[in-house]
Amino acid sequence: MFMKQDKKHTDYLSYSEFKESFKTLTYYDLSENDIKMMIATADEREEDAKINWKNFIPIALDLI
């Protein structure tokens, strides 16, 4: 899921890539607020809204 959305091969997901990755999980109806909270939780630096692989995994596992 992460690598599929990391189309630019930057080793992180932008806000829009992150949002799109969770839209593919059709059994979750995540709101904008849900996604923003997930990004804030996973974002190491909290100012760039970028999620790397290491921070993506715990969020994805929690949802699955």
Side-chain angles (χ1 to χ4, degrees):
M1 191 159 87
F2 182 93
M3 291 180 192
K4 183 179 178 181
Q5 290 304 321
D6 184 18
K7 294 175 174 108
K8 297 177 186 174
H9 306 288
T10 57
D11 295 328
Y12 65 83
L13 298 180
S14 66
Y15 173 82
S16 60
E17 290 169 330
F18 183 85
K19 180 179 174 180
E20 196 60 36
S21 68
F22 282 96
K23 277 186 168 180
T24 63
L25 301 174
T26 57
Y27 49 90
Y28 290 107
D29 186 24
L30 297 173
S31 70
E32 287 290 318
N33 269 351
D34 293 334
I35 293 170
K36 286 178 183 178
M37 287 174 52
M38 291 165 58
I39 288 174
T41 301
D43 187 5
E44 282 184 334
R45 291 173 269 172
E46 295 188 26
E47 75 274 354
D48 63 359
K50 295 177 182 176
I51 310 302
N52 65 27
W53 173 252
K54 179 180 83 176
N55 295 333
F56 179 84
I57 293 298
I59 289 175
L61 289 175
D62 281 347
L63 284 175
I64 294 171

